[in-house]
């Protein structure tokens, strides 16, 4: 068989062909920059780590499916240390980087400062954790919340305490933060309005390793139940030290304690602790642990809702002509149902996610798991 001779071209023709090939090759689309803003250092750093885990997992899966509108998702991490005085510099940096949206901030205080600054820069903001009802009530076009509002949680826990502990002694304690105190105060108000006055009301300083003075006060007050407004670290320590002191009062808290740090600090004392969480609405919804398993996440609810925040953007992108912040925001506020790993999610006109009503759940450990599953543990609603 005759072998075909290799074609040879002059060097100048080869250079021209290479240039034409470069022109013909489509330019790579610019990536979509997504900010993750929260406490990446400081006392609340474990929650910042969960935010990063959730968003990075979502970005990996979205990019494997072709990205957002064909554009690769890149993550930009910003540390505000959950400090309102840091928000201005953090938002300036993210705005200067040209982000399309930010997943964050972590606290209601930092979120309230950041949201209007992002709005002025035409940037979407989805907070997976901020719970102050005033945040979305006073928020702008760009703000969306994937967390339970304090007033919704307080109704459930306050009503439970007033009903189950009528005529008994209930203490209300908070961590002095805007979140913890706000949630504790709202729960206290519901309880008081239903006829049960608190036997003790107190605040603690977060970040301590020993809350012996508080435990002694609780014992002296002979409390039957404690409501704690705060985060997982302090909740776990207080509960463990209560049990070590022989104080068997019922421990009730909010969704801020849904984190591996709670069981790490509480140990065996975590068993039976009560806290508020969203109730599944229908057969499409998944219990917390099942949702974490479906996403491959190892963190707690903060990781999960950070993951869902980015997934919400992916789902919305399929229903707008182009990846444009105002168009995505308008679609989200339309009440459209978005299918996610936790089940369907929709937002109301204020930007609050319709996560269903809230219930009070008892935490039960499961063999081989470092986290706690809520399935089948509903105590009140």
């Amino acid at each position: 068989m005759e072998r075909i001779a290799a074609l040879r071209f002059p060097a100048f023709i080869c250079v021209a062909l290479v240039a034409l090939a470069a022109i013909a090759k489509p330019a790579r689309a610019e990536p979509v920059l997504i900010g993750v803003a929260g406490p990446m250092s400081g006392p609340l750093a474990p929650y910042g780590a969960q935010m990063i885990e959730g968003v990075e997992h979502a970005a990996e899966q979205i990019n494997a499916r072709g990205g957002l509108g064909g554009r690769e998702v890149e993550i930009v991490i910003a540390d505000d240390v959950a400090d309102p005085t840091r928000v201005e510099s953090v938002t300036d940096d993210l705005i200067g980087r040209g982000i399309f949206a930010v997943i964050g901030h972590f606290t209601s205080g930092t979120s309230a400062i950041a949201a209007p600054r992002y709005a002025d820069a035409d940037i979407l903001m989805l907070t997976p954790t901020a719970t102050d009802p005033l945040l979305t009530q006073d928020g702008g076009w760009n703000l969306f919340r994937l967390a339970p509002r304090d007033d919704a949680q307080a109704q459930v826990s306050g009503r439970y305490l007033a009903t189950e502990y009528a005529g008994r002694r209930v203490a209300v304690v908070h961590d002095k933060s805007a979140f913890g105190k706000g949630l504790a105060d709202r729960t206290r108000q519901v309880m008081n309005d239903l006829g049960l006055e608190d036997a003790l009301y107190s605040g603690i300083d977060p970040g301590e390793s020993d809350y012996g003075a508080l435990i002694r006060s609780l014992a002296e007050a002979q409390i039957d139940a404690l409501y704690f407004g705060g985060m997982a670290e302090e909740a776990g320590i207080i509960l463990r030290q209560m049990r070590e002191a022989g104080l068997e009062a019922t421990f009730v808290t909010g969704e801020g304690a849904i984190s591996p740090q709670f069981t790490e600090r509480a140990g065996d004392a975590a068993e039976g602790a009560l806290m508020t969480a969203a109730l599944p609405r229908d057969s499409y919804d998944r219990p917390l642990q099942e949702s974490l398993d479906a996403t491959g996440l190892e963190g707690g609810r903060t990781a999960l809702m950070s993951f869902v925040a980015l997934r919400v953007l992916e789902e919305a992108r399929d229903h707008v002509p182009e990846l444009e912040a105002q168009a995505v925001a308008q679609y989200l506020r339309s009440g459209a149902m978005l299918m996610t790993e936790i089940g369907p999610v929709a937002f109301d006109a204020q930007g609050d996610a319709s996560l269903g009503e809230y219930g009070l759940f008892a935490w039960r450990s499961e063999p081989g798991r470092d986290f706690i599953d809520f399935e089948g543990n509903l105590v009140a609603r």
Side-chain angles (χ1 to χ4, degrees):
M1 179 180 295
E2 184 178 353
R3 182 172 296 174
I4 300 175
L7 296 176
R8 298 181 182 277
F9 296 100
F12 75 90
I13 295 180
C14 292
V15 172
L17 289 172
V18 171
L20 287 171
I23 294 172
K25 184 179 180 180
R28 181 176 179 270
E30 288 293 320
V32 180
L33 301 184
I34 302 294
V36 184
M40 309 307 168
S41 62
L44 298 179
Y47 293 96
Q50 285 195 45
M51 294 174 72
I52 294 172
E53 180 195 3
V55 178
E56 286 186 340
H57 267 64
E60 289 172 5
Q61 294 179 21
I62 291 169
N63 286 337
R65 291 190 287 268
L68 283 178
R71 296 167 60 186
E72 183 179 2
V73 175
E74 288 188 7
I75 305 304
V76 180
I77 298 170
D79 183 12
D80 66 10
V81 202
D83 181 355
T85 66
R86 296 283 297 271
V87 173
E88 185 173 337
S89 61
V90 166
T91 53
D92 283 347
D93 179 64
L94 289 174
I95 291 167
R97 297 284 295 274
I99 62 169
F100 172 73
V102 61
I103 310 302
H105 290 227
F106 180 73
T107 68
S108 295
T110 53
S111 295
I113 299 169
R117 295 176 65 83
Y118 294 133
D120 290 343
D122 206 34
I123 293 169
L124 291 167
M125 175 175 161
L126 297 93
T127 173
T129 50
T131 57
D132 188 344
L134 296 178
L135 184 62
T136 47
Q137 180 178 314
D138 300 334
W141 65 269
N142 67 323
L143 176 60
F144 298 88
R145 187 209 314 263
L146 281 151
R149 290 166 49 124
D150 288 341
D151 48 359
Q153 295 189 74
Q155 284 294 325
V156 176
S157 50
R159 189 167 56 243
Y160 173 81
L161 290 167
T163 302
E164 299 298 322
Y165 291 86
R168 302 171 72 183
R169 302 180 65 79
V170 174
V172 177
V173 176
H174 59 79
D175 66 358
K176 300 180 182 177
S177 70
F179 162 71
K181 186 175 187 302
L183 182 57
D185 286 350
R186 287 184 172 89
T187 299
R188 182 191 191 199
Q189 188 64 58
V190 171
M191 188 178 76
N192 292 168
D193 288 347
L194 292 174
L196 179 60
E197 294 296 323
D198 40 290
L200 183 149
Y201 177 79
S202 182
I204 63 156
D205 294 319
E208 302 290 334
S209 60
D210 185 355
Y211 291 103
L214 170 66
I215 305 304
R216 288 189 292 273
S217 295
L218 296 174
E220 290 170 2
Q222 298 181 323
I223 64 160
D224 298 297
L226 165 66
Y227 184 85
F228 176 68
M231 305 304 292
E233 186 90 4
E234 290 73 28
I237 294 172
I238 291 170
L239 177 55
R240 188 192 74 244
Q241 293 181 351
M242 283 173 60
R243 300 297 183 250
E244 289 173 348
L247 190 56
E248 295 302 320
T250 301
F251 185 88
V252 186
T253 188
E255 233 184 13
I258 303 178
S259 170
Q261 282 73 40
F262 176 70
T263 50
E264 289 171 6
R265 298 295 176 264
D268 293 341
E271 190 78 6
L274 304 180
M275 62 186 54
T276 43
L279 283 166
R281 292 156 296 174
D282 51 45
S283 60
Y284 290 102
D285 288 339
R286 283 175 158 164
L288 178 62
Q289 187 62 54
E290 187 178 325
S291 296
L292 289 166
D293 292 343
T295 57
L297 296 168
E298 297 180 357
R301 186 170 178 81
T302 297
L304 178 62
M305 300 315 288
S306 299
F307 177 99
V308 172
L310 187 50
R311 282 281 292 112
V312 160
L313 292 181
E314 181 188 23
E315 291 291 308
R317 172 62 187 91
D318 293 338
H319 300 276
V320 295
E322 58 183 342
L323 192 62
E324 192 274 323
Q326 296 275 355
V328 172
Q330 184 176 0
Y331 181 76
L332 291 178
R333 288 185 189 276
S334 71
M337 197 65 74
L338 307 164
M339 298 307 298
T340 75
E341 283 72 7
I342 65 170
V345 173
F347 295 90
D348 62 20
Q350 285 189 323
D352 285 316
S354 56
L355 298 173
E357 64 175 307
Y358 295 90
L360 193 65
F361 293 82
W363 280 36
R364 308 292 182 196
S365 59
E366 293 190 0
R369 282 182 172 170
D370 294 329
F371 204 68
I372 306 262
D373 195 348
F374 283 134
E375 188 173 11
N377 297 332
L378 181 64
V379 171
R381 60 193 304 166

